PDB file of all heavy atoms in Angstrom:
ATOM      1  N   ARG A   3     -11.692  -2.380  -8.800  1.00 48.00           N
ATOM      2  CA  ARG A   3     -10.792  -1.283  -8.659  1.00 48.00           C
ATOM      3  C   ARG A   3     -10.493  -0.602  -9.983  1.00 48.00           C
ATOM      4  O   ARG A   3     -10.339   0.722 -10.061  1.00 48.00           O
ATOM      5  CB  ARG A   3      -9.489  -1.862  -8.092  1.00 48.00           C
ATOM      6  CG  ARG A   3      -9.615  -2.344  -6.576  1.00 48.00           C
ATOM      7  CD  ARG A   3      -9.612  -1.258  -5.650  1.00 48.00           C
ATOM      8  NE  ARG A   3      -8.211  -0.766  -5.410  1.00 48.00           N
ATOM      9  CZ  ARG A   3      -7.815   0.173  -4.534  1.00 48.00           C
ATOM     10  NH1 ARG A   3      -8.799   0.777  -3.856  1.00 48.00           N
ATOM     11  NH2 ARG A   3      -6.564   0.396  -4.300  1.00 48.00           N
ATOM     12  N   SER A   4     -10.344  -1.367 -11.002  1.00 45.00           N
ATOM     13  CA  SER A   4     -10.102  -0.756 -12.355  1.00 45.00           C
ATOM     14  C   SER A   4     -11.220   0.141 -12.753  1.00 45.00           C
ATOM     15  O   SER A   4     -11.121   1.171 -13.388  1.00 45.00           O
ATOM     16  CB  SER A   4      -9.676  -1.748 -13.407  1.00 45.00           C
ATOM     17  OG  SER A   4     -10.698  -2.740 -13.525  1.00 45.00           O
ATOM     18  N   ALA A   5     -12.526  -0.417 -12.603  1.00 46.00           N
ATOM     19  CA  ALA A   5     -13.701   0.333 -12.989  1.00 46.00           C
ATOM     20  C   ALA A   5     -13.806   1.591 -12.120  1.00 46.00           C
ATOM     21  O   ALA A   5     -14.206   2.718 -12.619  1.00 46.00           O
ATOM     22  CB  ALA A   5     -14.962  -0.552 -12.799  1.00 46.00           C
ATOM     23  N   ALA A   6     -13.562   1.465 -10.936  1.00 48.00           N
ATOM     24  CA  ALA A   6     -13.583   2.675  -9.917  1.00 48.00           C
ATOM     25  C   ALA A   6     -12.498   3.695 -10.454  1.00 48.00           C
ATOM     26  O   ALA A   6     -12.817   4.888 -10.467  1.00 48.00           O
ATOM     27  CB  ALA A   6     -13.268   2.330  -8.527  1.00 48.00           C
ATOM     28  N   SER A   7     -11.373   3.221 -10.927  1.00 45.00           N
ATOM     29  CA  SER A   7     -10.329   4.198 -11.368  1.00 45.00           C
ATOM     30  C   SER A   7     -10.712   4.919 -12.519  1.00 45.00           C
ATOM     31  O   SER A   7     -10.677   6.141 -12.663  1.00 45.00           O
ATOM     32  CB  SER A   7      -9.054   3.393 -11.669  1.00 45.00           C
ATOM     33  OG  SER A   7      -8.224   4.177 -12.389  1.00 45.00           O
ATOM     34  N   ARG A   8     -11.410   4.199 -13.528  1.00 45.00           N
ATOM     35  CA  ARG A   8     -11.801   4.855 -14.719  1.00 45.00           C
ATOM     36  C   ARG A   8     -12.912   5.880 -14.343  1.00 45.00           C
ATOM     37  O   ARG A   8     -13.023   7.040 -14.952  1.00 45.00           O
ATOM     38  CB  ARG A   8     -12.313   3.857 -15.715  1.00 45.00           C
ATOM     39  CG  ARG A   8     -11.205   3.081 -16.347  1.00 45.00           C
ATOM     40  CD  ARG A   8     -11.680   2.266 -17.553  1.00 45.00           C
ATOM     41  NE  ARG A   8     -12.720   1.274 -17.170  1.00 45.00           N
ATOM     42  CZ  ARG A   8     -12.348  -0.030 -16.792  1.00 45.00           C
ATOM     43  NH1 ARG A   8     -11.157  -0.295 -16.725  1.00 45.00           N
ATOM     44  NH2 ARG A   8     -13.388  -0.813 -16.628  1.00 45.00           N
ATOM     45  N   ALA A   9     -13.778   5.488 -13.402  1.00 44.00           N
ATOM     46  CA  ALA A   9     -14.941   6.411 -13.061  1.00 44.00           C
ATOM     47  C   ALA A   9     -14.397   7.650 -12.319  1.00 44.00           C
ATOM     48  O   ALA A   9     -14.984   8.703 -12.523  1.00 44.00           O
ATOM     49  CB  ALA A   9     -15.854   5.678 -12.154  1.00 44.00           C
ATOM     50  N   ASN A  10     -13.258   7.640 -11.676  1.00 48.00           N
ATOM     51  CA  ASN A  10     -12.764   8.694 -10.857  1.00 48.00           C
ATOM     52  C   ASN A  10     -11.736   9.476 -11.536  1.00 48.00           C
ATOM     53  O   ASN A  10     -11.361  10.612 -11.027  1.00 48.00           O
ATOM     54  CB  ASN A  10     -12.209   8.120  -9.530  1.00 48.00           C
ATOM     55  CG  ASN A  10     -13.309   7.542  -8.519  1.00 48.00           C
ATOM     56  OD1 ASN A  10     -14.355   8.097  -8.540  1.00 48.00           O
ATOM     57  ND2 ASN A  10     -12.914   6.562  -7.800  1.00 48.00           N
ATOM     58  N   ARG A  11     -11.120   9.140 -12.675  1.00 51.00           N
ATOM     59  CA  ARG A  11     -10.185   9.898 -13.253  1.00 51.00           C
ATOM     60  C   ARG A  11     -10.728  11.112 -13.948  1.00 51.00           C
ATOM     61  O   ARG A  11     -11.729  11.120 -14.660  1.00 51.00           O
ATOM     62  CB  ARG A  11      -9.498   9.175 -14.443  1.00 51.00           C
ATOM     63  CG  ARG A  11      -8.671   8.037 -13.956  1.00 51.00           C
ATOM     64  CD  ARG A  11      -7.989   7.244 -15.126  1.00 51.00           C
ATOM     65  NE  ARG A  11      -7.268   6.072 -14.610  1.00 51.00           N
ATOM     66  CZ  ARG A  11      -6.686   5.186 -15.490  1.00 51.00           C
ATOM     67  NH1 ARG A  11      -6.692   5.330 -16.707  1.00 51.00           N
ATOM     68  NH2 ARG A  11      -6.083   4.111 -14.908  1.00 51.00           N
ATOM     69  N   ARG A  12     -10.195  12.347 -13.655  1.00 59.00           N
ATOM     70  CA  ARG A  12     -10.656  13.529 -14.193  1.00 59.00           C
ATOM     71  C   ARG A  12      -9.505  14.347 -14.606  1.00 59.00           C
ATOM     72  O   ARG A  12      -8.638  14.695 -13.821  1.00 59.00           O
ATOM     73  CB  ARG A  12     -11.532  14.318 -13.135  1.00 59.00           C
ATOM     74  CG  ARG A  12     -12.810  13.599 -12.698  1.00 59.00           C
ATOM     75  CD  ARG A  12     -13.683  14.423 -11.730  1.00 59.00           C
ATOM     76  NE  ARG A  12     -13.003  14.535 -10.557  1.00 59.00           N
ATOM     77  CZ  ARG A  12     -13.086  13.648  -9.581  1.00 59.00           C
ATOM     78  NH1 ARG A  12     -13.703  12.510  -9.749  1.00 59.00           N
ATOM     79  NH2 ARG A  12     -12.419  13.818  -8.359  1.00 59.00           N
ATOM     80  N   GLY A  13      -9.480  14.683 -15.890  1.00 73.00           N
ATOM     81  CA  GLY A  13      -8.429  15.631 -16.383  1.00 73.00           C
ATOM     82  C   GLY A  13      -7.153  14.974 -16.654  1.00 73.00           C
ATOM     83  O   GLY A  13      -6.962  13.698 -16.508  1.00 73.00           O
ATOM     84  N   GLU A  14      -6.150  15.687 -17.073  1.00 84.00           N
ATOM     85  CA  GLU A  14      -4.847  15.277 -17.350  1.00 84.00           C
ATOM     86  C   GLU A  14      -4.083  14.942 -16.112  1.00 84.00           C
ATOM     87  O   GLU A  14      -4.268  15.672 -15.094  1.00 84.00           O
ATOM     88  CB  GLU A  14      -4.113  16.238 -18.224  1.00 84.00           C
ATOM     89  CG  GLU A  14      -4.724  16.412 -19.636  1.00 84.00           C
ATOM     90  CD  GLU A  14      -4.630  15.096 -20.330  1.00 84.00           C
ATOM     91  OE1 GLU A  14      -3.588  14.423 -20.386  1.00 84.00           O
ATOM     92  OE2 GLU A  14      -5.716  14.735 -21.005  1.00 84.00           O
ATOM     93  N   HIS A  32      -0.506   1.001  -7.638  1.00 97.00           N
ATOM     94  CA  HIS A  32      -1.106   0.097  -8.592  1.00 97.00           C
ATOM     95  C   HIS A  32      -0.833   0.447  -9.967  1.00 97.00           C
ATOM     96  O   HIS A  32      -1.626   1.107 -10.604  1.00 97.00           O
ATOM     97  CB  HIS A  32      -2.640   0.008  -8.363  1.00 97.00           C
ATOM     98  CG  HIS A  32      -3.015  -0.399  -6.991  1.00 97.00           C
ATOM     99  ND1 HIS A  32      -2.985  -1.698  -6.513  1.00 97.00           N
ATOM    100  CD2 HIS A  32      -3.512   0.377  -5.905  1.00 97.00           C
ATOM    101  CE1 HIS A  32      -3.499  -1.701  -5.159  1.00 97.00           C
ATOM    102  NE2 HIS A  32      -3.778  -0.445  -4.808  1.00 97.00           N
ATOM    103  N   LEU A  33       0.399   0.225 -10.401  1.00 96.00           N
ATOM    104  CA  LEU A  33       0.794   0.555 -11.780  1.00 96.00           C
ATOM    105  C   LEU A  33      -0.144   0.113 -12.853  1.00 96.00           C
ATOM    106  O   LEU A  33      -0.366   0.814 -13.911  1.00 96.00           O
ATOM    107  CB  LEU A  33       2.271   0.214 -12.054  1.00 96.00           C
ATOM    108  CG  LEU A  33       3.314   0.919 -11.242  1.00 96.00           C
ATOM    109  CD1 LEU A  33       4.695   0.157 -11.312  1.00 96.00           C
ATOM    110  CD2 LEU A  33       3.567   2.348 -11.872  1.00 96.00           C
ATOM    111  N   ASP A  34      -0.642  -1.116 -12.592  1.00 93.00           N
ATOM    112  CA  ASP A  34      -1.465  -1.807 -13.605  1.00 93.00           C
ATOM    113  C   ASP A  34      -2.697  -1.055 -13.823  1.00 93.00           C
ATOM    114  O   ASP A  34      -3.107  -0.674 -14.970  1.00 93.00           O
ATOM    115  CB  ASP A  34      -1.733  -3.242 -13.360  1.00 93.00           C
ATOM    116  CG  ASP A  34      -2.070  -3.407 -11.897  1.00 93.00           C
ATOM    117  OD1 ASP A  34      -1.953  -2.523 -11.049  1.00 93.00           O
ATOM    118  OD2 ASP A  34      -2.609  -4.505 -11.479  1.00 93.00           O
ATOM    119  N   ILE A  35      -3.259  -0.609 -12.825  1.00 91.00           N
ATOM    120  CA  ILE A  35      -4.577   0.093 -12.822  1.00 91.00           C
ATOM    121  C   ILE A  35      -4.370   1.549 -13.267  1.00 91.00           C
ATOM    122  O   ILE A  35      -5.156   2.136 -14.035  1.00 91.00           O
ATOM    123  CB  ILE A  35      -5.380   0.059 -11.443  1.00 91.00           C
ATOM    124  CG1 ILE A  35      -5.596  -1.402 -10.974  1.00 91.00           C
ATOM    125  CG2 ILE A  35      -6.757   0.769 -11.615  1.00 91.00           C
ATOM    126  CD1 ILE A  35      -6.131  -1.483  -9.634  1.00 91.00           C
ATOM    127  N   THR A  36      -3.312   2.088 -12.775  1.00 86.00           N
ATOM    128  CA  THR A  36      -2.863   3.571 -13.199  1.00 86.00           C
ATOM    129  C   THR A  36      -2.721   3.610 -14.699  1.00 86.00           C
ATOM    130  O   THR A  36      -3.153   4.611 -15.263  1.00 86.00           O
ATOM    131  CB  THR A  36      -1.652   3.916 -12.493  1.00 86.00           C
ATOM    132  OG1 THR A  36      -1.837   3.842 -11.063  1.00 86.00           O
ATOM    133  CG2 THR A  36      -1.253   5.334 -12.803  1.00 86.00           C
ATOM    134  N   LEU A  37      -1.977   2.736 -15.214  1.00 87.00           N
ATOM    135  CA  LEU A  37      -1.640   2.796 -16.612  1.00 87.00           C
ATOM    136  C   LEU A  37      -2.584   2.251 -17.606  1.00 87.00           C
ATOM    137  O   LEU A  37      -2.509   2.557 -18.849  1.00 87.00           O
ATOM    138  CB  LEU A  37      -0.231   2.190 -16.820  1.00 87.00           C
ATOM    139  CG  LEU A  37       0.850   2.924 -16.065  1.00 87.00           C
ATOM    140  CD1 LEU A  37       2.194   2.083 -16.171  1.00 87.00           C
ATOM    141  CD2 LEU A  37       1.100   4.240 -16.496  1.00 87.00           C
ATOM    142  N   ASP A  38      -3.312   1.206 -17.168  1.00 68.00           N
ATOM    143  CA  ASP A  38      -4.067   0.438 -18.162  1.00 68.00           C
ATOM    144  C   ASP A  38      -5.121  -0.296 -17.433  1.00 68.00           C
ATOM    145  O   ASP A  38      -4.881  -1.089 -16.575  1.00 68.00           O
ATOM    146  CB  ASP A  38      -3.227  -0.443 -19.004  1.00 68.00           C
ATOM    147  CG  ASP A  38      -3.997  -0.950 -20.181  1.00 68.00           C
ATOM    148  OD1 ASP A  38      -5.165  -0.882 -20.268  1.00 68.00           O
ATOM    149  OD2 ASP A  38      -3.192  -1.493 -21.107  1.00 68.00           O
ATOM    150  N   GLY A  39      -6.482  -0.049 -17.726  1.00 58.00           N
ATOM    151  CA  GLY A  39      -7.549  -0.669 -16.999  1.00 58.00           C
ATOM    152  C   GLY A  39      -7.572  -2.241 -17.227  1.00 58.00           C
ATOM    153  O   GLY A  39      -8.051  -2.914 -16.375  1.00 58.00           O
ATOM    154  N   ASP A  40      -6.899  -2.695 -18.285  1.00 54.00           N
ATOM    155  CA  ASP A  40      -6.916  -4.118 -18.401  1.00 54.00           C
ATOM    156  C   ASP A  40      -5.794  -4.812 -17.696  1.00 54.00           C
ATOM    157  O   ASP A  40      -5.531  -6.039 -17.707  1.00 54.00           O
ATOM    158  CB  ASP A  40      -6.743  -4.502 -19.958  1.00 54.00           C
ATOM    159  CG  ASP A  40      -5.493  -4.253 -20.536  1.00 54.00           C
ATOM    160  OD1 ASP A  40      -4.532  -3.855 -19.843  1.00 54.00           O
ATOM    161  OD2 ASP A  40      -5.326  -4.315 -21.797  1.00 54.00           O
ATOM    162  N   ALA A 236      -1.954   4.973  -5.870  1.00 97.00           N
ATOM    163  CA  ALA A 236      -2.275   5.453  -7.219  1.00 97.00           C
ATOM    164  C   ALA A 236      -2.987   4.248  -7.978  1.00 97.00           C
ATOM    165  O   ALA A 236      -2.642   3.147  -7.853  1.00 97.00           O
ATOM    166  CB  ALA A 236      -0.977   5.779  -7.989  1.00 97.00           C
ATOM    167  N   PRO A 237      -3.940   4.693  -8.773  1.00 95.00           N
ATOM    168  CA  PRO A 237      -4.246   6.116  -9.179  1.00 95.00           C
ATOM    169  C   PRO A 237      -5.327   6.805  -8.302  1.00 95.00           C
ATOM    170  O   PRO A 237      -5.818   7.865  -8.735  1.00 95.00           O
ATOM    171  CB  PRO A 237      -4.956   5.823 -10.611  1.00 95.00           C
ATOM    172  CG  PRO A 237      -5.721   4.540 -10.377  1.00 95.00           C
ATOM    173  CD  PRO A 237      -4.752   3.700  -9.538  1.00 95.00           C
ATOM    174  N   PHE A 238      -5.482   6.361  -7.137  1.00 96.00           N
ATOM    175  CA  PHE A 238      -6.414   6.960  -6.106  1.00 96.00           C
ATOM    176  C   PHE A 238      -5.671   7.890  -5.299  1.00 96.00           C
ATOM    177  O   PHE A 238      -4.583   8.031  -5.174  1.00 96.00           O
ATOM    178  CB  PHE A 238      -7.130   5.808  -5.332  1.00 96.00           C
ATOM    179  CG  PHE A 238      -7.548   4.675  -6.199  1.00 96.00           C
ATOM    180  CD1 PHE A 238      -6.903   3.448  -6.337  1.00 96.00           C
ATOM    181  CD2 PHE A 238      -8.772   4.768  -6.948  1.00 96.00           C
ATOM    182  CE1 PHE A 238      -7.344   2.450  -7.135  1.00 96.00           C
ATOM    183  CE2 PHE A 238      -9.336   3.620  -7.711  1.00 96.00           C
ATOM    184  CZ  PHE A 238      -8.534   2.523  -7.791  1.00 96.00           C
ATOM    185  N   GLY A 246      -8.339  14.881  -7.050  1.00 93.00           N
ATOM    186  CA  GLY A 246      -9.318  14.713  -8.123  1.00 93.00           C
ATOM    187  C   GLY A 246      -8.780  14.398  -9.498  1.00 93.00           C
ATOM    188  O   GLY A 246      -9.503  13.943 -10.375  1.00 93.00           O
ATOM    189  N   ARG A 247      -7.477  14.635  -9.602  1.00 94.00           N
ATOM    190  CA  ARG A 247      -6.807  14.244 -10.906  1.00 94.00           C
ATOM    191  C   ARG A 247      -6.103  12.915 -10.644  1.00 94.00           C
ATOM    192  O   ARG A 247      -5.870  12.383  -9.592  1.00 94.00           O
ATOM    193  CB  ARG A 247      -5.797  15.362 -11.291  1.00 94.00           C
ATOM    194  CG  ARG A 247      -6.622  16.718 -11.590  1.00 94.00           C
ATOM    195  CD  ARG A 247      -5.776  17.837 -11.902  1.00 94.00           C
ATOM    196  NE  ARG A 247      -4.925  17.709 -13.105  1.00 94.00           N
ATOM    197  CZ  ARG A 247      -4.100  18.654 -13.433  1.00 94.00           C
ATOM    198  NH1 ARG A 247      -3.848  19.742 -12.755  1.00 94.00           N
ATOM    199  NH2 ARG A 247      -3.374  18.436 -14.594  1.00 94.00           N
ATOM    200  N   PRO A 248      -5.625  12.327 -11.753  1.00 94.00           N
ATOM    201  CA  PRO A 248      -4.948  10.981 -11.731  1.00 94.00           C
ATOM    202  C   PRO A 248      -3.712  11.039 -10.783  1.00 94.00           C
ATOM    203  O   PRO A 248      -2.849  11.989 -10.964  1.00 94.00           O
ATOM    204  CB  PRO A 248      -4.697  10.560 -13.056  1.00 94.00           C
ATOM    205  CG  PRO A 248      -5.658  11.370 -13.902  1.00 94.00           C
ATOM    206  CD  PRO A 248      -5.830  12.707 -13.147  1.00 94.00           C
ATOM    207  N   ASN A 249      -3.480  10.065  -9.987  1.00 96.00           N
ATOM    208  CA  ASN A 249      -2.372  10.007  -9.116  1.00 96.00           C
ATOM    209  C   ASN A 249      -1.229   9.189  -9.705  1.00 96.00           C
ATOM    210  O   ASN A 249      -1.519   8.318 -10.582  1.00 96.00           O
ATOM    211  CB  ASN A 249      -2.806   9.436  -7.669  1.00 96.00           C
ATOM    212  CG  ASN A 249      -1.878   9.822  -6.546  1.00 96.00           C
ATOM    213  OD1 ASN A 249      -0.860  10.517  -6.842  1.00 96.00           O
ATOM    214  ND2 ASN A 249      -2.167   9.269  -5.387  1.00 96.00           N
TER     215      ASN A 249
END
Side-chain angles (χ1 to χ4, degrees):
R3 293 279 279 180
S4 56
S7 169
R8 289 192 296 273
N10 288 330
R11 288 181 190 176
R12 295 184 292 277
E14 293 298 315
H32 304 279
L33 287 165
D34 46 348
I35 306 175
T36 300
L37 297 172
D38 196 340
D40 68 8
F238 311 99
R247 294 172 70 181
N249 202 1

